[in-house]
């Protein structure tokens, strides 16, 4: 299952500070990055599992394995990765698509972990706050000079312009200070990233390959936009320093494990199939390509674009090659479920749940199939599975949406309202969440666990950036 889920916070609230810390390798401005259609976050067990496997050794080497740091996949096709809050690494799906080897994206994750381990975000915030104070003082002084100049009589005189220069001067100075500060952080993150890779027995070649590619791109993109960048050939120096450091590692020539490369290519095939236009998918994965990833991409594209029968045949072919791959059964179940065959979706989804060690997002899909059969005998099982799933996966509204339907079937309207309120809350729709939770409160006995949960939602303050209406 590849879910495109609305973030409870608006992506635009990842603020200018985030943009400043974002990898300098993203050549596109944030405004452009937001033009993409669709919800900002992608949820998919297979992709998330691969990213967890990529980050685990690095986080361990960085001493951050206990921090529960998550990798979040953003629904953006450009290349970007950044840290925003000290507990999450954001990665565009475009960064996965454009990384040809696991080692390339692992290098980016190592660099981002370098920012986390160095506490760069907090330091940059401090620096920004300082800069803002300096700027305010400078502007006050500038304004004073301007008034003085105007008082001098002729507002067109040279003196009047001193004020304007006094305003522009410090701003430019502060901007340059911040850029040089950020550059230093980038170099520190590079060094830390290489250190983590070497400590976990991995090559930094992929990191170097990725950054080298973007040095060229960013110089191209920057031409004619930022004279300061043009006059400072810093990126080339940074990449040269990175190359020297990376080559000094005993693991420089170490190749990715072929099994990991296959998993990487399967995830890229899945992202392409779900996110890209059908003709693009077939151009990337033409019928002449008989590899497993190409067959995976075409099977997904076939189900998405309407031919369920043909898609099921293709998925069964995949299952023959890898009979223990949970995501093939998940895909079979999803295709059947979305094709209106909920009852038939149950068996493959049970298998997917079992093979994935009870991955909660897949359990939610199974719960949806059980609820979707309209068979009362399945309702209690659906509730048990969904409750377990929402307990372990607290950010996906789907589990609560399906729970609400299951409770509705049982005419347990208190629990149904509560689950609907929780789903609305996770979608960021606070108004609906409060209304439903208020109604749920009238249906529970005061002080019971359900009443307390409903009361929490009624009392909850909107997250920063969330609509309070
Ligand atoms: Zn960076």
């Amino acid at each position: 299952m590849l879910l495109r889920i609305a973030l409870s916070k608006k992506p635009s609230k990842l603020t200018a500070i985030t943009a400043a810390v974002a990898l300098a390798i993203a050549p596109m401005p944030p405004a452009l990055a937001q033009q993409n259609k669709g919800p900002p976050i992608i949820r998919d067990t297979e992709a998330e599992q691969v990213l967890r496997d990529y980050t685990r050794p690095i986080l361990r080497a960085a001493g951050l394995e206990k921090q529960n740091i998550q990798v979040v996949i953003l629904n953006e096709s450009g290349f970007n990765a950044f840290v925003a809050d000290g507990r999450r690494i954001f990665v565009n799906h475009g960064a996965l698509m454009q990384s040809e080897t696991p080692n390339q994206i692992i290098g980016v994750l190592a660099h981002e972990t370098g920012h986390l381990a160095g506490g760069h975000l907090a330091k940059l915030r401090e620096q920004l706050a300082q800069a803002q104070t300096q700027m305010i003082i400078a502007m006050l002084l500038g304004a004073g000079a301007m008034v003085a100049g105007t008082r001098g009589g002729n507002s067109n005189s040279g003196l009047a312009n001193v004020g304007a220069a006094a305003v522009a001067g410090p701003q430019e100075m502060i901007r340059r200070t911040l850029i040089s500060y950020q550059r230093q952080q980038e170099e520190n993150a590079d060094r830390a990233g290489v250190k983590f890779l070497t400590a976990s027995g991995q090559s930094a070649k992929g990191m170097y390959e990725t950054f080298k590619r973007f040095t060229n791109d960013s110089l191209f993109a920057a031409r004619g936009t930022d004279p300061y960048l043009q006059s400072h050939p810093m990126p080339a120096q940074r990449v040269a320093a990175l190359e020297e450091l990376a080559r000094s590692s005993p693991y420089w020539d170490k190749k990715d494990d072929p099994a990991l490369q296959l998993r990487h290519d399967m995830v890229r095939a899945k992202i392409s199939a779900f996110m890209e236009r059908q003709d693009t998918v077939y151009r990337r994965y033409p019928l002449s390509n008989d590899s497993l990833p190409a067959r995976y991409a075409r099977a997904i594209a076939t189900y998405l674009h309407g031919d369920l029968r043909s898609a099921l045949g293709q998925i069964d072919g995949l299952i023959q090659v890898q009979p223990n791959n949970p995501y093939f059964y998940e895909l079979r179940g999803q295709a059947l479920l979305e094709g209106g065959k909920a009852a038939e979706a149950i068996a493959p989804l049970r298998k997917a749940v079992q093979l994935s060690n009870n991955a909660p997002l897949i359990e939610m899909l199974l719960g949806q199939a059980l609820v979707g059969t309209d068979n009362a005998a399945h309702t209690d099982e659906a509730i048990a599975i969904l409750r377990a799933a929402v307990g372990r996966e607290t950010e996906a509204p789907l589990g609560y949406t399906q729970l609400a339907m299951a409770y509705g079937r049982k005419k347990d309207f208190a629990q149904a309202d509560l689950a609907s309120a929780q789903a609305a809350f996770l979608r960021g729709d606070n108004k609906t969440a409060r209304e439903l939770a208020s109604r749920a409160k009238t249906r529970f006995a005061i002080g019971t666990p359900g009443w307390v949960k409903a009361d929490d939602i009624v009392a909850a303050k909107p997250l920063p950036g969330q609509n309070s209406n």
Side-chain angles (χ1 to χ4, degrees):
M1 168 174 58
L2 192 138
L3 288 171
R4 280 144 284 179
I5 285 180
L7 189 56
S8 49
K9 294 182 205 176
K10 285 184 195 164
S12 57
K13 297 296 174 178
L14 296 176
T15 69
I17 293 173
T18 304
V21 185
L23 260 188
I25 56 181
M28 62 179 178
L32 217 142
Q34 312 243 331
Q35 282 177 3
N36 268 357
K37 300 283 186 293
I41 282 191
I42 291 174
R43 297 299 313 271
D44 177 70
T45 308
E46 182 177 21
E48 288 172 9
Q49 190 59 49
V50 162
L51 284 168
R52 259 197 299 276
D53 290 345
Y54 289 169
T55 42
R56 195 179 301 112
I58 294 163
L59 291 173
R60 197 181 300 134
L64 295 171
E65 75 269 48
K66 297 237 160 64
Q67 314 285 309
N68 191 27
I69 287 163
Q70 307 284 322
V71 183
V72 177
I73 307 168
L74 294 180
N75 182 9
E76 300 283 352
S77 57
F79 194 109
N80 202 9
F82 56 91
V83 293
D85 60 3
R87 67 174 195 94
R88 283 182 286 201
I89 301 174
F90 292 87
V91 178
N92 284 7
H93 74 66
L96 280 164
M97 282 301 293
Q98 291 174 47
S99 296
E100 287 173 358
T101 63
N103 190 243
Q104 286 178 354
I105 190 76
I106 287 170
V108 173
L109 293 166
H111 172 93
E112 290 310 311
T113 304
H115 282 306
L116 282 177
H120 291 171
L121 204 63
K123 286 178 193 159
L124 184 65
R125 285 211 179 96
E126 247 168 58
Q127 200 79 9
L128 271 174
Q130 263 179 32
Q132 270 164 3
T133 311
Q134 285 171 30
M135 189 128 73
I136 289 163
I137 292 168
M139 282 169 77
L140 287 172
L141 289 176
M146 198 145 34
V147 171
T150 314
R151 265 191 203 146
N154 189 350
S155 63
N156 290 325
S157 76
L159 259 181
N161 294 327
V162 171
V167 174
Q171 279 179 344
E172 181 59 17
M173 215 176 66
I174 288 162
R175 203 174 64 82
R176 289 185 185 199
T177 309
L178 279 181
I179 286 173
S180 93
Y181 181 75
Q182 192 196 347
R183 191 170 65 198
Q184 188 194 325
Q185 283 194 334
E186 291 306 323
E187 287 166 3
N188 289 347
D190 287 346
R191 272 195 295 275
V194 173
K195 194 175 85 184
F196 303 150
L197 289 166
T198 306
S200 53
Q202 304 184 80
S203 171
K205 192 191 261 178
M207 182 175 163
Y208 161 69
E209 285 167 349
T210 299
F211 285 24
K212 185 180 164 60
R213 184 159 70 92
F214 282 100
T215 308
N216 301 337
D217 283 3
S218 67
L219 279 181
F220 180 73
R223 194 168 298 150
T225 56
D226 191 336
Y228 184 77
L229 261 180
Q230 280 179 49
S231 60
H232 291 72
M234 187 281 296
Q237 281 175 9
R238 178 180 156 199
V239 169
L242 174 61
E243 182 179 10
E244 198 185 328
L245 202 60
R247 279 186 188 277
S248 70
S249 158
Y251 307 108
W252 168 258
D253 278 320
K254 191 170 169 184
K255 292 275 178 297
D256 286 300
D257 176 351
L260 195 64
Q261 179 72 54
L262 178 58
R263 287 175 66 201
H264 184 78
D265 291 337
M266 293 298 273
V267 167
R268 293 169 77 211
K270 182 187 243 179
I271 289 170
S272 167
F274 273 103
M275 310 308 296
E276 296 189 306
R277 290 160 44 112
Q278 197 179 1
D279 55 338
T280 308
V281 177
Y282 280 93
R283 203 173 57 240
R284 275 189 208 278
Y285 302 102
L287 285 163
S288 57
N289 182 343
D290 199 34
S291 69
L292 204 61
R295 291 171 63 189
Y296 196 27
R298 292 196 299 266
I300 295 167
T302 306
Y303 119 70
L304 283 177
H305 300 286
D307 191 348
L308 180 60
R309 231 182 132 83
S310 167
L312 291 174
Q314 293 179 48
I315 296 165
D316 288 342
L318 296 169
I319 291 174
Q320 277 190 344
V321 181
Q322 288 190 346
N324 292 317
N325 186 327
Y327 312 114
F328 293 160
Y329 294 96
E330 181 191 28
L331 179 61
R332 194 173 210 287
Q334 186 177 10
L336 285 162
L337 188 56
E338 289 176 14
K341 298 176 188 302
E344 289 173 56
I346 292 173
L349 289 174
R350 275 195 207 289
K351 184 88 176 162
V353 165
Q354 178 217 327
L355 289 170
S356 68
N357 279 319
N358 298 70
L361 291 174
I362 304 180
E363 286 184 328
M364 288 176 191
L365 209 53
L366 173 57
Q368 186 179 356
L370 290 165
V371 174
T373 56
D374 283 323
N375 179 346
H378 285 140
T379 308
D380 286 331
E381 188 194 356
I383 289 173
I385 289 171
L386 289 165
R387 290 206 74 97
V390 298
R392 280 176 290 122
E393 167 53 64
T394 53
E395 288 177 13
L398 175 67
Y400 286 111
T401 311
Q402 297 304 316
L403 258 183
M405 288 177 70
Y407 281 124
R409 285 259 147 86
K410 298 205 58 141
K411 311 237 179 296
D412 185 342
F413 298 118
Q415 290 286 2
D417 277 348
L418 175 59
S420 296
Q422 282 162 317
F425 186 73
L426 288 177
R427 284 195 309 269
D429 181 355
N430 280 23
K431 183 168 180 276
T432 307
R434 268 199 306 272
E435 282 167 8
L436 288 164
S438 300
R439 199 168 75 187
K441 274 176 75 178
T442 67
R443 293 177 157 156
F444 283 112
I446 293 172
T448 56
W451 184 92
V452 171
K453 279 184 195 155
D455 190 52
D456 283 347
I457 292 175
V458 173
K461 288 202 169 61
L463 297 166
Q466 223 170 41
N467 272 336
S468 52
N469 57 4

